Amino acid sequence: MSKIEFIATTLFGVEAITAREVKELGYQDITVEDGKVTFVGDEVALARSNLWIRTAERIYVKIGEFTATTFEELFEGTKALPWEVWIPEDGRFPVEGYSIKSKLFSVSDCQAIVKKAVVERLKTKYKKEWFEENGATYKIKFSLMKDKVTLMIDTSGIGLHKRGYRVMSNEAPLRETLAAAMIMLSFWKPDRPLMDPFCGSGTIPIEAAMIGINLAPGLKRQFVSEKWGRISNKLWKEAREEAVGAIKKDITLNIKGYDIDKNAIKLSKDNARKAGVEKYITFENIPLKDLKTDDKYGVIICNPPYGERMGELEEVEKLYKEMGKVFKKLDTWSFYILTSHEKFEKLFGRQASKKRKLYNGMIKAYYYQYYGPKPQPIDLNNK
């Protein structure tokens, strides 16, 4: 097995969680930067990280890194890298990327130069002048950040937030990767009740159930690197078998998803069925004002409406005030609420124990965390 450097890209704010996941998978040499986690593994790590990491957006193989302030430096630096180790003669290698705070700011020019440099490298290695590019896809991604060039190949294909269970979704859905991060940033454990009063298409309850039964998030989908010659079918088969064997089937979970919209509940149930976790979640059409429970020491994790559109803000602010009143009755519960509203705490009526900046798509939001009391141990003598 080879020593390979990987980059797991993330939404801003969840890098530490992704790094924790990488460590739990057993990989070393972890470096955390804004929006990415770099680590070292082998070919097996390529398959396992795609199958298992819940909070990463994509897994890339890092081909190389260098500084470039001229197009010639970009060309020569790219050409010097060992592209033939990954890209075969018939490989399809489209190029995309971005440039931030760099002298080479034209993305289309950088794209053309990287492509040309890779072609020149492969011409030398494969002793041919023309590449059909009719085989598997090896999408090249370049990142130019303050003149530092990072070149990578995408191993995931479709983004990792596409688990395969949410074909349809309601308006402004929460990314599955962000929902998983919200759960992993909370104090929720599978032996505690979990509730989402604004479940929408069911993403938070479904991701929680998948965590609860240890279901690998990528198990029901395909990855572009499954067609790569360097990663054998046997390796992928073994990685999938390992994931299937890790599922905890005979576990009881207390997860509830509520929504005022009947269609949202129907959608949530369909999505939970596709994810294979429907038996672990109860979905009901209940408005916030009717929310009540006898369960103790539970956790509410939710992504309520933000009021981003004209005319919705007043309605949303009223909802946040109502949340404050309804949640106050759940005196042993902890609350984790994601919203972009800067004055949420004031409307909710309580200052958060902690707040963390997260990005829901392009929207800057805050994750307001309200810690309830720790669960009390059961006194068996008084049972």
Side-chain angles (χ1 to χ4, degrees):
M1 288 287 171
S2 316
K3 194 177 177 185
I4 303 163
E5 201 170 359
F6 295 99
I7 294 175
T9 55
T10 74
L11 293 168
F12 288 114
V14 306
E15 299 90 347
I17 298 293
T18 305
R20 191 171 83 197
E21 289 195 85
V22 169
K23 195 176 178 185
E24 283 168 0
L25 279 177
Y27 302 115
Q28 307 299 318
D29 301 326
I30 300 165
T31 309
V32 180
E33 294 171 73
D34 283 351
K36 67 179 186 180
V37 175
T38 306
F39 63 100
V40 174
D42 53 15
E43 285 84 354
V44 177
L46 186 151
R48 290 182 77 235
S49 57
N50 271 297
L51 284 167
W52 278 104
I53 299 178
R54 298 178 191 278
T55 59
E57 296 303 306
R58 275 189 169 83
I59 307 295
Y60 292 93
V61 168
K62 182 177 169 183
I63 305 299
E65 210 161 54
F66 54 88
T67 300
T69 56
T70 67
F71 287 131
E72 191 182 349
E73 284 175 345
L74 178 62
F75 180 84
E76 293 300 336
T78 303
K79 191 183 168 189
L81 296 172
W83 296 101
E84 69 282 355
V85 169
W86 290 95
I87 304 173
E89 279 188 61
D90 66 346
R92 198 176 152 265
F93 50 102
V95 177
E96 66 172 37
Y98 61 88
S99 175
I100 297 169
K101 296 178 181 171
S102 298
K103 288 184 181 67
L104 302 177
F105 57 84
S106 168
V107 171
S108 56
D109 286 341
C110 292
Q111 210 168 351
I113 285 158
V114 168
K115 179 78 178 185
K116 190 181 174 190
V118 176
V119 168
E120 289 305 313
R121 171 80 188 197
L122 296 181
K123 273 185 187 178
T124 310
K125 294 295 169 181
Y126 292 126
K127 312 287 187 238
K128 61 191 290 188
E129 284 299 307
W130 179 256
F131 296 94
E132 293 287 342
E133 295 197 46
N134 56 5
T137 301
Y138 300 78
K139 187 188 270 185
I140 296 169
K141 177 94 170 187
F142 67 84
S143 134
L144 255 160
M145 178 73 82
K146 294 179 182 171
D147 301 324
K148 186 172 88 171
V149 183
T150 306
L151 287 155
M152 312 168 272
I153 298 177
D154 179 10
T155 74
S156 304
I158 298 166
L160 293 180
H161 68 282
K162 301 271 190 183
R163 318 286 206 214
Y165 67 76
R166 203 171 72 179
V167 182
M168 297 284 290
S169 64
N170 61 342
E171 225 175 287
L174 181 72
R175 270 201 176 194
E176 295 87 332
T177 43
L178 183 54
M182 286 165 67
I183 295 157
M184 293 163 96
L185 282 165
S186 79
F187 287 150
W188 181 73
K189 294 282 180 285
D191 60 351
R192 292 178 76 172
L194 185 143
M195 200 191 300
D196 179 1
F198 312 99
C199 70
S201 51
T203 311
I204 292 171
I206 291 167
E207 290 293 322
M210 288 168 76
I211 290 168
I213 66 168
N214 203 34
L215 173 62
L219 196 52
K220 290 176 178 280
R221 55 157 286 172
Q222 301 299 308
F223 305 94
V224 72
S225 46
E226 288 184 68
K227 293 190 170 78
W228 293 3
R230 184 167 167 178
I231 315 295
S232 70
N233 290 339
K234 181 174 177 279
L235 185 151
W236 275 104
K237 187 169 177 280
E238 285 170 359
R240 287 183 181 277
E241 282 170 357
E242 178 202 21
V244 169
I247 300 168
K248 300 171 183 172
K249 288 174 183 160
D250 45 4
I251 196 167
T252 304
L253 298 173
N254 181 356
I255 299 173
K256 295 184 172 78
Y258 301 134
D259 205 286
I260 197 167
D261 181 355
K262 281 182 185 171
N263 291 329
I265 294 302
K266 185 178 179 299
L267 194 56
S268 294
K269 286 177 177 175
D270 285 347
N271 289 340
R273 184 177 41 77
K274 286 188 192 103
V277 294
E278 74 271 36
K279 73 174 187 178
Y280 302 102
I281 312 167
T282 304
F283 286 111
E284 284 184 84
N285 175 217
I286 293 174
L288 177 68
K289 65 181 174 64
D290 296 338
L291 185 75
K292 55 180 182 291
T293 179
D294 293 328
D295 293 328
K296 303 283 183 195
Y297 304 106
V299 176
I300 283 178
I301 303 175
C302 64
N303 176 49
Y306 298 175
E308 291 288 322
R309 290 184 186 167
M310 290 286 286
E312 287 180 355
L313 194 58
E314 200 178 317
E315 205 177 310
V316 160
E317 289 182 346
K318 228 188 282 180
L319 176 73
Y320 292 167
K321 285 175 184 173
E322 190 178 5
M323 281 169 68
K325 287 172 192 161
V326 173
F327 290 9
K328 198 176 182 181
K329 295 170 194 166
L330 307 174
D331 57 353
T332 64
W333 283 59
S334 298
F335 316 121
Y336 296 84
I337 303 149
L338 185 73
T339 173
S340 63
H341 200 302
E342 299 277 350
K343 294 183 180 162
F344 173 78
E345 288 164 301
K346 192 178 177 206
L347 294 160
F348 188 69
R350 243 170 92 188
Q351 200 172 348
S353 312
K354 187 178 181 182
K355 77 175 182 184
R356 187 182 189 119
K357 195 192 294 178
L358 294 175
Y359 281 82
N360 187 359
M362 297 305 289
I363 302 168
K364 183 179 82 174
Y366 292 96
Y367 195 34
Y368 294 95
Q369 302 168 52
Y370 293 86
Y371 305 150
K374 283 184 181 174
Q376 296 300 306
I378 296 164
D379 185 350
L380 296 172
N381 296 320
N382 291 334
K383 261 193 113 180

